[in-house]
Amino acid sequence: MKYVLASNWKANFTLQEAIEWFDKVDSFSSNLGNIRIVAAVPYPYIYILLQRYNKVEVFSQNLSHVIKGAYTGEVTISMLKSVGFRGSIVGHSERRHIFKEDDEIINKKILILQENQADIIFCIGETLEQRESGKTEETLYFQIKKGLEGFNSFNNLIVAYEPVWAIGTGVPIKIEDLLKIENFIRNIFLREYKVNDLVLLYGGSVDKDFIKLIKKETTLNGALVGSASWNAHNFIQIIGNFIS
Ligand code: PGA
């Protein structure tokens, strides 16, 4: 079983804060066996963090859907590869909702990552409105099918189920609901792609207590953690609670 604990920094941290976080988390992350520790960091820090540290895997939080050319402000796959990044988050709900990225754009990014043998943390999740109108399963199904059109590099894929209504609210999903959705997603991958060892994470207000529940009550492979991971000590505690 592969495990992943990922910290999503979002638009936070100065370079100094980034280094202080890595000083603590990277040294804690040696000898964790089959547990991958990932930090999805802002673009400007990727290169320097990779020069200094080697235990925590450095991911980007996004990448451009264009390859190169006259696209002011875009950060492309070749730029990211040339600084040695390991992979990227794609389809985070903040990208989908605030920056209006649709399934087609997300699919392009996923195929670009596939072509370049990079790892992908592919985020899916329903909004509160979709949940309340009974459309959770339908939403997840279509996000998966559209996002993964033409995709087959499942060894590079990590899926993060992140219900939009649970992100940044301090209230994670109920564990019994999470179990049902874990089954639902695993069944889709088994049925549609013949994948029986999907690396599946939960994200949305994970903290040091909820990670224990995930470990105890589900067969998820870990978590994608936002605000509770921004303090290095808290993230180390989350990792510790997942291990023990
Ligand atoms: P949160 O964010 O842990 O702060 O809810 C999770 C995420 O957005 O990935």
Side-chain angles (χ1 to χ4, degrees), residues 3-243:
Y3 296 106
V4 179
L5 291 173
S7 169
N8 178 8
W9 289 10
K10 310 194 180 185
N12 295 295
F13 289 48
T14 61
L15 177 59
Q16 187 57 37
E17 289 163 347
I19 288 171
E20 282 165 16
W21 189 96
F22 259 77
D23 276 343
K24 297 188 183 109
V25 178
D26 198 70
S27 53
F28 180 80
S29 300
S30 46
N31 306 319
L32 291 182
N34 57 349
I35 302 185
R36 294 172 66 179
I37 306 298
V38 170
V41 309
Y43 294 132
Y45 310 146
I46 294 175
Y47 182 71
I48 190 160
L49 293 172
L50 282 165
Q51 297 302 302
R52 290 182 173 220
Y53 307 96
N54 55 25
K55 311 281 185 322
V56 175
E57 296 177 36
V58 180
F59 276 47
S60 60
Q61 300 168 18
N62 187 26
L63 76 158
S64 181
H65 65 286
V66 301
I67 301 298
K68 68 181 288 189
Y71 301 102
T72 302
E74 289 300 276
V75 174
T76 66
I77 185 73
S78 5
M79 298 173 195
L80 291 167
K81 268 184 80 172
S82 69
V83 296
F85 94 133
R86 177 70 187 257
S88 183
I89 296 179
V90 180
H92 189 279
S93 75
E94 287 148 18
R95 301 293 325 166
R96 290 179 190 264
H97 299 290
I98 303 170
F99 298 99
K100 310 287 176 225
E101 290 188 11
D102 58 17
D103 292 309
E104 203 179 314
I105 293 271
I106 290 163
N107 177 247
K108 276 190 185 154
K109 295 182 180 190
I110 287 178
L111 295 183
I112 288 171
L113 288 162
Q114 164 170 264
E115 219 167 277
N116 288 277
Q117 291 91 43
D119 284 348
I120 301 158
I121 299 180
F122 172 35
C123 299
I124 54 172
E126 80 286 3
T127 61
L128 187 60
E129 198 186 340
Q130 288 163 332
R131 175 180 155 90
E132 285 176 345
S133 53
K135 295 203 168 120
T136 297
E137 296 193 344
E138 182 186 326
T139 304
L140 297 177
Y141 180 77
F142 282 109
Q143 286 177 344
I144 292 168
K145 291 298 284 184
K146 290 180 181 163
L148 296 183
E149 223 171 279
F151 183 80
N152 51 31
S153 310
F154 292 98
N155 282 338
N156 290 111
L157 184 72
I158 297 165
V159 173
Y161 167 59
E162 299 208 307
V164 180
W165 49 269
I167 294 177
T169 59
V171 186
I173 191 172
K174 287 204 179 77
I175 201 75
E176 55 271 27
D177 293 341
L178 181 54
L179 265 172
K180 281 186 207 139
I181 291 178
E182 175 183 2
N183 266 328
F184 175 73
I185 295 171
R186 289 201 187 279
N187 278 331
I188 294 176
F189 276 83
L190 196 57
R191 196 177 65 232
E192 311 266 333
Y193 308 105
K194 310 281 173 274
V195 171
N196 61 10
D197 56 354
L198 176 71
V199 179
L200 180 59
L201 315 182
Y202 167 77
S205 297
V206 173
D207 61 10
K208 61 182 174 21
D209 299 320
F210 198 69
I211 197 73
K212 285 190 195 164
L213 272 184
I214 290 178
K215 185 72 189 292
K216 189 158 168 266
E217 307 286 343
T218 76
T219 51
L220 288 165
N221 304 74
L224 176 56
V225 191
S227 57
S229 70
W230 298 339
N231 174 296
H233 173 74
N234 289 349
F235 189 50
I236 288 170
Q237 221 177 346
I238 288 172
I239 300 168
N241 286 355
F242 189 76
I243 298 169

